[in-house]
Amino acid sequence: MELRQLKYFIAVAEELHFGRAAERCHIAQPPLSQQIKRLEEELGVTLLERTSRKVSLTPEGTEFLRRCRDIRDRLEEAVNCVQDMAQGLEGQLRVGFIGPASLSKLPKAIRAFREQNPNIRLDFSAQSTTEQLPMLRGDRLDIAFVRLFGHDTRGLDTLLFLREPYVLAVPEGHAFTSRERIDITDLEDEPLIFNQRIAQPALYRSLIGSFHKAGFMPSIVQEVNTEQSTVALVATGLGCALVPASSAGDRRSGVVFRPLDGDLPQWEITALWKKKNESVLLRKFLDVVAQFREISDAVSA
């Protein structure tokens, strides 16, 4: 059975006249009649009753017409869908991100993209960098917003989305809140809340190295797995914490943020995607994301 046979049958069934159906399909009448006959022979069912005066549908023909129209409509929908996908007008994009990215301009970038592309479905997954990398390589994510520090990015393209310095999160009422800036040397013997070593071991070592260069080892009282948890614990008065500058946008009661001077690494969020991914939809998303990049050249001193 061929699609053209279904097209011919729909024309005859709707016109109930072989001549008019042939004109509609831009085919001579004899070949059209032969195609309908072959279709009935293949089905083993009579679809059309033919007399010298008229053509009419059998009950089976009526049902077959309904289903053929459905097939035709679905085919047209499929054609339109893939054509829209090829132009980046329709489709699905799977976006992974680390928790701190929600405090950056990424939500604004996503909103702008959704407003410009209302027919694009965005699926989100909040995961750690370590969890997102295999999802990206396993084609379970199209793009990932991660924090790279010594990770293997072979086979991946990158776009630096955010670079900013660390600031110090201080419990409300702490002596540091009366100062404009804090130096890393002021943190000696100060109880500190750190991100877990297991989550970002290379970064953890780099931060510890910053304190070592300042002449002391930090007094770590608690390790947590997210920046949001870090700020929440600072609010309890447990200790101070190094957090990205964008965390200052967290209006949580009980926490004050102060600029921090010292030989510290920059805090970065990077967008990653597979080099072989040539999706027009992904490129459109990256074009919007690029408009919301925040790259600060300021470094701690």
PDB file of all heavy atoms in Angstrom, residues 117-144:
ATOM      1  N   ASN A 117      10.186  32.216  21.791  1.00  0.00           N
ATOM      2  CA  ASN A 117       9.944  30.897  21.191  1.00  0.00           C
ATOM      3  C   ASN A 117       8.880  30.146  21.990  1.00  0.00           C
ATOM      4  O   ASN A 117       9.178  29.156  22.675  1.00  0.00           O
ATOM      5  CB  ASN A 117      11.241  30.090  21.156  1.00  0.00           C
ATOM      6  CG  ASN A 117      12.358  30.791  20.410  1.00  0.00           C
ATOM      7  OD1 ASN A 117      12.481  30.695  19.196  1.00  0.00           O
ATOM      8  ND2 ASN A 117      13.190  31.520  21.150  1.00  0.00           N
ATOM      9  N   PRO A 118       7.637  30.591  21.940  1.00  0.00           N
ATOM     10  CA  PRO A 118       6.588  29.991  22.770  1.00  0.00           C
ATOM     11  C   PRO A 118       6.273  28.532  22.455  1.00  0.00           C
ATOM     12  O   PRO A 118       5.694  27.843  23.292  1.00  0.00           O
ATOM     13  CB  PRO A 118       5.375  30.891  22.482  1.00  0.00           C
ATOM     14  CG  PRO A 118       5.655  31.477  21.124  1.00  0.00           C
ATOM     15  CD  PRO A 118       7.137  31.678  21.086  1.00  0.00           C
ATOM     16  N   ASN A 119       6.661  28.052  21.279  1.00  0.00           N
ATOM     17  CA  ASN A 119       6.356  26.664  20.921  1.00  0.00           C
ATOM     18  C   ASN A 119       7.464  25.691  21.279  1.00  0.00           C
ATOM     19  O   ASN A 119       7.364  24.490  21.005  1.00  0.00           O
ATOM     20  CB  ASN A 119       6.061  26.561  19.419  1.00  0.00           C
ATOM     21  CG  ASN A 119       4.797  27.293  19.026  1.00  0.00           C
ATOM     22  OD1 ASN A 119       3.841  27.354  19.788  1.00  0.00           O
ATOM     23  ND2 ASN A 119       4.780  27.875  17.843  1.00  0.00           N
ATOM     24  N   ILE A 120       8.531  26.199  21.889  1.00  0.00           N
ATOM     25  CA  ILE A 120       9.641  25.338  22.289  1.00  0.00           C
ATOM     26  C   ILE A 120       9.404  24.860  23.712  1.00  0.00           C
ATOM     27  O   ILE A 120       9.168  25.659  24.623  1.00  0.00           O
ATOM     28  CB  ILE A 120      10.993  26.079  22.204  1.00  0.00           C
ATOM     29  CG1 ILE A 120      11.210  26.614  20.794  1.00  0.00           C
ATOM     30  CG2 ILE A 120      12.123  25.150  22.615  1.00  0.00           C
ATOM     31  CD1 ILE A 120      11.190  25.574  19.721  1.00  0.00           C
ATOM     32  N   ARG A 121       9.499  23.559  23.905  1.00  0.00           N
ATOM     33  CA  ARG A 121       9.352  23.000  25.258  1.00  0.00           C
ATOM     34  C   ARG A 121      10.729  22.917  25.913  1.00  0.00           C
ATOM     35  O   ARG A 121      11.668  22.355  25.343  1.00  0.00           O
ATOM     36  CB  ARG A 121       8.733  21.608  25.186  1.00  0.00           C
ATOM     37  CG  ARG A 121       8.680  20.906  26.542  1.00  0.00           C
ATOM     38  CD  ARG A 121       8.056  19.542  26.437  1.00  0.00           C
ATOM     39  NE  ARG A 121       8.206  18.789  27.662  1.00  0.00           N
ATOM     40  CZ  ARG A 121       7.746  17.550  27.847  1.00  0.00           C
ATOM     41  NH1 ARG A 121       7.106  16.950  26.858  1.00  0.00           N
ATOM     42  NH2 ARG A 121       7.934  16.923  28.982  1.00  0.00           N
ATOM     43  N   LEU A 122      10.840  23.471  27.112  1.00  0.00           N
ATOM     44  CA  LEU A 122      12.084  23.415  27.870  1.00  0.00           C
ATOM     45  C   LEU A 122      11.901  22.490  29.065  1.00  0.00           C
ATOM     46  O   LEU A 122      10.985  22.681  29.865  1.00  0.00           O
ATOM     47  CB  LEU A 122      12.483  24.811  28.350  1.00  0.00           C
ATOM     48  CG  LEU A 122      12.831  25.841  27.268  1.00  0.00           C
ATOM     49  CD1 LEU A 122      13.129  27.193  27.901  1.00  0.00           C
ATOM     50  CD2 LEU A 122      14.021  25.375  26.442  1.00  0.00           C
ATOM     51  N   ASP A 123      12.756  21.492  29.170  1.00  0.00           N
ATOM     52  CA  ASP A 123      12.753  20.580  30.318  1.00  0.00           C
ATOM     53  C   ASP A 123      13.994  20.851  31.147  1.00  0.00           C
ATOM     54  O   ASP A 123      15.116  20.881  30.611  1.00  0.00           O
ATOM     55  CB  ASP A 123      12.740  19.122  29.855  1.00  0.00           C
ATOM     56  CG  ASP A 123      11.406  18.723  29.251  1.00  0.00           C
ATOM     57  OD1 ASP A 123      10.404  19.404  29.561  1.00  0.00           O
ATOM     58  OD2 ASP A 123      11.360  17.753  28.490  1.00  0.00           O
ATOM     59  N   PHE A 124      13.822  21.030  32.463  1.00  0.00           N
ATOM     60  CA  PHE A 124      14.926  21.424  33.325  1.00  0.00           C
ATOM     61  C   PHE A 124      15.302  20.313  34.291  1.00  0.00           C
ATOM     62  O   PHE A 124      14.450  19.540  34.731  1.00  0.00           O
ATOM     63  CB  PHE A 124      14.559  22.686  34.104  1.00  0.00           C
ATOM     64  CG  PHE A 124      14.233  23.862  33.231  1.00  0.00           C
ATOM     65  CD1 PHE A 124      12.911  24.229  32.998  1.00  0.00           C
ATOM     66  CD2 PHE A 124      15.234  24.588  32.620  1.00  0.00           C
ATOM     67  CE1 PHE A 124      12.597  25.298  32.184  1.00  0.00           C
ATOM     68  CE2 PHE A 124      14.936  25.667  31.794  1.00  0.00           C
ATOM     69  CZ  PHE A 124      13.621  26.015  31.583  1.00  0.00           C
ATOM     70  N   SER A 125      16.595  20.293  34.621  1.00  0.00           N
ATOM     71  CA  SER A 125      17.107  19.308  35.564  1.00  0.00           C
ATOM     72  C   SER A 125      18.162  19.971  36.438  1.00  0.00           C
ATOM     73  O   SER A 125      19.197  20.410  35.935  1.00  0.00           O
ATOM     74  CB  SER A 125      17.719  18.115  34.801  1.00  0.00           C
ATOM     75  OG  SER A 125      18.270  17.173  35.704  1.00  0.00           O
ATOM     76  N   ALA A 126      17.887  20.099  37.728  1.00  0.00           N
ATOM     77  CA  ALA A 126      18.839  20.706  38.660  1.00  0.00           C
ATOM     78  C   ALA A 126      19.742  19.611  39.225  1.00  0.00           C
ATOM     79  O   ALA A 126      19.281  18.759  39.989  1.00  0.00           O
ATOM     80  CB  ALA A 126      18.096  21.430  39.778  1.00  0.00           C
ATOM     81  N   GLN A 127      21.004  19.617  38.810  1.00  0.00           N
ATOM     82  CA  GLN A 127      21.949  18.572  39.220  1.00  0.00           C
ATOM     83  C   GLN A 127      23.313  19.203  39.470  1.00  0.00           C
ATOM     84  O   GLN A 127      23.597  20.314  39.035  1.00  0.00           O
ATOM     85  CB  GLN A 127      22.085  17.510  38.108  1.00  0.00           C
ATOM     86  CG  GLN A 127      20.796  16.867  37.651  1.00  0.00           C
ATOM     87  CD  GLN A 127      20.263  15.845  38.631  1.00  0.00           C
ATOM     88  OE1 GLN A 127      20.959  15.453  39.558  1.00  0.00           O
ATOM     89  NE2 GLN A 127      19.019  15.413  38.433  1.00  0.00           N
ATOM     90  N   SER A 128      24.163  18.445  40.151  1.00  0.00           N
ATOM     91  CA  SER A 128      25.535  18.900  40.360  1.00  0.00           C
ATOM     92  C   SER A 128      26.312  18.783  39.051  1.00  0.00           C
ATOM     93  O   SER A 128      25.876  18.112  38.110  1.00  0.00           O
ATOM     94  CB  SER A 128      26.216  18.047  41.433  1.00  0.00           C
ATOM     95  OG  SER A 128      26.429  16.726  40.954  1.00  0.00           O
ATOM     96  N   THR A 129      27.463  19.431  38.995  1.00  0.00           N
ATOM     97  CA  THR A 129      28.315  19.338  37.806  1.00  0.00           C
ATOM     98  C   THR A 129      28.679  17.886  37.525  1.00  0.00           C
ATOM     99  O   THR A 129      28.613  17.421  36.380  1.00  0.00           O
ATOM    100  CB  THR A 129      29.604  20.165  38.010  1.00  0.00           C
ATOM    101  OG1 THR A 129      29.243  21.546  38.151  1.00  0.00           O
ATOM    102  CG2 THR A 129      30.544  20.009  36.828  1.00  0.00           C
ATOM    103  N   THR A 130      29.055  17.164  38.559  1.00  0.00           N
ATOM    104  CA  THR A 130      29.457  15.761  38.412  1.00  0.00           C
ATOM    105  C   THR A 130      28.342  14.915  37.823  1.00  0.00           C
ATOM    106  O   THR A 130      28.588  13.995  37.034  1.00  0.00           O
ATOM    107  CB  THR A 130      29.880  15.184  39.771  1.00  0.00           C
ATOM    108  OG1 THR A 130      30.939  15.984  40.309  1.00  0.00           O
ATOM    109  CG2 THR A 130      30.374  13.756  39.636  1.00  0.00           C
ATOM    110  N   GLU A 131      27.096  15.226  38.171  1.00  0.00           N
ATOM    111  CA  GLU A 131      25.952  14.470  37.652  1.00  0.00           C
ATOM    112  C   GLU A 131      25.596  14.885  36.233  1.00  0.00           C
ATOM    113  O   GLU A 131      25.149  14.056  35.426  1.00  0.00           O
ATOM    114  CB  GLU A 131      24.751  14.664  38.575  1.00  0.00           C
ATOM    115  CG  GLU A 131      24.913  14.031  39.942  1.00  0.00           C
ATOM    116  CD  GLU A 131      23.827  14.449  40.919  1.00  0.00           C
ATOM    117  OE1 GLU A 131      23.437  15.640  40.897  1.00  0.00           O
ATOM    118  OE2 GLU A 131      23.376  13.598  41.702  1.00  0.00           O
ATOM    119  N   GLN A 132      25.789  16.155  35.911  1.00  0.00           N
ATOM    120  CA  GLN A 132      25.377  16.648  34.592  1.00  0.00           C
ATOM    121  C   GLN A 132      26.280  16.191  33.459  1.00  0.00           C
ATOM    122  O   GLN A 132      25.801  15.961  32.340  1.00  0.00           O
ATOM    123  CB  GLN A 132      25.332  18.187  34.602  1.00  0.00           C
ATOM    124  CG  GLN A 132      24.163  18.761  35.375  1.00  0.00           C
ATOM    125  CD  GLN A 132      24.063  20.259  35.192  1.00  0.00           C
ATOM    126  OE1 GLN A 132      23.726  20.750  34.116  1.00  0.00           O
ATOM    127  NE2 GLN A 132      24.370  21.000  36.247  1.00  0.00           N
ATOM    128  N   LEU A 133      27.574  16.066  33.710  1.00  0.00           N
ATOM    129  CA  LEU A 133      28.502  15.716  32.621  1.00  0.00           C
ATOM    130  C   LEU A 133      28.144  14.390  31.951  1.00  0.00           C
ATOM    131  O   LEU A 133      28.072  14.327  30.722  1.00  0.00           O
ATOM    132  CB  LEU A 133      29.933  15.715  33.140  1.00  0.00           C
ATOM    133  CG  LEU A 133      30.502  17.114  33.439  1.00  0.00           C
ATOM    134  CD1 LEU A 133      31.887  17.005  34.074  1.00  0.00           C
ATOM    135  CD2 LEU A 133      30.567  17.957  32.180  1.00  0.00           C
ATOM    136  N   PRO A 134      27.918  13.283  32.700  1.00  0.00           N
ATOM    137  CA  PRO A 134      27.520  12.042  32.016  1.00  0.00           C
ATOM    138  C   PRO A 134      26.144  12.136  31.365  1.00  0.00           C
ATOM    139  O   PRO A 134      25.889  11.484  30.348  1.00  0.00           O
ATOM    140  CB  PRO A 134      27.537  10.999  33.142  1.00  0.00           C
ATOM    141  CG  PRO A 134      27.467  11.773  34.410  1.00  0.00           C
ATOM    142  CD  PRO A 134      28.140  13.068  34.133  1.00  0.00           C
ATOM    143  N   MET A 135      25.251  12.949  31.918  1.00  0.00           N
ATOM    144  CA  MET A 135      23.934  13.131  31.290  1.00  0.00           C
ATOM    145  C   MET A 135      24.085  13.830  29.955  1.00  0.00           C
ATOM    146  O   MET A 135      23.385  13.500  28.988  1.00  0.00           O
ATOM    147  CB  MET A 135      23.021  13.944  32.214  1.00  0.00           C
ATOM    148  CG  MET A 135      22.635  13.238  33.499  1.00  0.00           C
ATOM    149  SD  MET A 135      21.634  14.285  34.600  1.00  0.00           S
ATOM    150  CE  MET A 135      20.097  14.389  33.658  1.00  0.00           C
ATOM    151  N   LEU A 136      25.006  14.787  29.879  1.00  0.00           N
ATOM    152  CA  LEU A 136      25.257  15.514  28.632  1.00  0.00           C
ATOM    153  C   LEU A 136      25.861  14.575  27.594  1.00  0.00           C
ATOM    154  O   LEU A 136      25.433  14.535  26.437  1.00  0.00           O
ATOM    155  CB  LEU A 136      26.198  16.682  28.907  1.00  0.00           C
ATOM    156  CG  LEU A 136      26.374  17.735  27.816  1.00  0.00           C
ATOM    157  CD1 LEU A 136      25.054  18.426  27.510  1.00  0.00           C
ATOM    158  CD2 LEU A 136      27.418  18.759  28.238  1.00  0.00           C
ATOM    159  N   ARG A 137      26.844  13.798  28.013  1.00  0.00           N
ATOM    160  CA  ARG A 137      27.503  12.874  27.074  1.00  0.00           C
ATOM    161  C   ARG A 137      26.587  11.727  26.673  1.00  0.00           C
ATOM    162  O   ARG A 137      26.734  11.158  25.604  1.00  0.00           O
ATOM    163  CB  ARG A 137      28.789  12.333  27.701  1.00  0.00           C
ATOM    164  CG  ARG A 137      29.902  13.376  27.807  1.00  0.00           C
ATOM    165  CD  ARG A 137      31.245  12.719  28.105  1.00  0.00           C
ATOM    166  NE  ARG A 137      32.342  13.638  27.839  1.00  0.00           N
ATOM    167  CZ  ARG A 137      32.934  14.381  28.749  1.00  0.00           C
ATOM    168  NH1 ARG A 137      32.522  14.323  30.018  1.00  0.00           N
ATOM    169  NH2 ARG A 137      33.931  15.193  28.428  1.00  0.00           N
ATOM    170  N   GLY A 138      25.623  11.393  27.525  1.00  0.00           N
ATOM    171  CA  GLY A 138      24.683  10.318  27.226  1.00  0.00           C
ATOM    172  C   GLY A 138      23.429  10.800  26.531  1.00  0.00           C
ATOM    173  O   GLY A 138      22.449  10.056  26.435  1.00  0.00           O
ATOM    174  N   ASP A 139      23.449  12.048  26.041  1.00  0.00           N
ATOM    175  CA  ASP A 139      22.329  12.642  25.299  1.00  0.00           C
ATOM    176  C   ASP A 139      21.043  12.706  26.119  1.00  0.00           C
ATOM    177  O   ASP A 139      19.939  12.677  25.579  1.00  0.00           O
ATOM    178  CB  ASP A 139      22.075  11.871  23.994  1.00  0.00           C
ATOM    179  CG  ASP A 139      23.223  12.026  23.010  1.00  0.00           C
ATOM    180  OD1 ASP A 139      23.805  13.118  22.954  1.00  0.00           O
ATOM    181  OD2 ASP A 139      23.537  11.050  22.307  1.00  0.00           O
ATOM    182  N   ARG A 140      21.196  12.839  27.438  1.00  0.00           N
ATOM    183  CA  ARG A 140      20.032  13.063  28.288  1.00  0.00           C
ATOM    184  C   ARG A 140      19.858  14.542  28.611  1.00  0.00           C
ATOM    185  O   ARG A 140      18.857  14.943  29.188  1.00  0.00           O
ATOM    186  CB  ARG A 140      20.155  12.243  29.579  1.00  0.00           C
ATOM    187  CG  ARG A 140      19.951  10.742  29.373  1.00  0.00           C
ATOM    188  CD  ARG A 140      20.138   9.984  30.657  1.00  0.00           C
ATOM    189  NE  ARG A 140      21.549   9.950  31.037  1.00  0.00           N
ATOM    190  CZ  ARG A 140      21.975   9.769  32.281  1.00  0.00           C
ATOM    191  NH1 ARG A 140      21.103   9.656  33.275  1.00  0.00           N
ATOM    192  NH2 ARG A 140      23.273   9.714  32.544  1.00  0.00           N
ATOM    193  N   LEU A 141      20.843  15.342  28.227  1.00  0.00           N
ATOM    194  CA  LEU A 141      20.767  16.799  28.312  1.00  0.00           C
ATOM    195  C   LEU A 141      21.280  17.369  26.998  1.00  0.00           C
ATOM    196  O   LEU A 141      22.171  16.797  26.374  1.00  0.00           O
ATOM    197  CB  LEU A 141      21.628  17.330  29.459  1.00  0.00           C
ATOM    198  CG  LEU A 141      21.144  17.150  30.898  1.00  0.00           C
ATOM    199  CD1 LEU A 141      22.189  17.680  31.875  1.00  0.00           C
ATOM    200  CD2 LEU A 141      19.804  17.829  31.132  1.00  0.00           C
ATOM    201  N   ASP A 142      20.725  18.508  26.596  1.00  0.00           N
ATOM    202  CA  ASP A 142      21.214  19.203  25.406  1.00  0.00           C
ATOM    203  C   ASP A 142      22.247  20.262  25.771  1.00  0.00           C
ATOM    204  O   ASP A 142      23.167  20.533  25.003  1.00  0.00           O
ATOM    205  CB  ASP A 142      20.044  19.851  24.657  1.00  0.00           C
ATOM    206  CG  ASP A 142      19.045  18.828  24.163  1.00  0.00           C
ATOM    207  OD1 ASP A 142      19.455  17.942  23.388  1.00  0.00           O
ATOM    208  OD2 ASP A 142      17.870  18.905  24.557  1.00  0.00           O
ATOM    209  N   ILE A 143      22.082  20.861  26.939  1.00  0.00           N
ATOM    210  CA  ILE A 143      23.011  21.890  27.403  1.00  0.00           C
ATOM    211  C   ILE A 143      23.038  21.848  28.919  1.00  0.00           C
ATOM    212  O   ILE A 143      22.025  21.556  29.565  1.00  0.00           O
ATOM    213  CB  ILE A 143      22.601  23.288  26.886  1.00  0.00           C
ATOM    214  CG1 ILE A 143      23.667  24.328  27.238  1.00  0.00           C
ATOM    215  CG2 ILE A 143      21.228  23.689  27.382  1.00  0.00           C
ATOM    216  CD1 ILE A 143      23.463  25.669  26.542  1.00  0.00           C
ATOM    217  N   ALA A 144      24.202  22.117  29.494  1.00  0.00           N
ATOM    218  CA  ALA A 144      24.363  22.065  30.940  1.00  0.00           C
ATOM    219  C   ALA A 144      25.083  23.310  31.424  1.00  0.00           C
ATOM    220  O   ALA A 144      26.055  23.755  30.803  1.00  0.00           O
ATOM    221  CB  ALA A 144      25.152  20.814  31.330  1.00  0.00           C
TER     222      ALA A 144
END
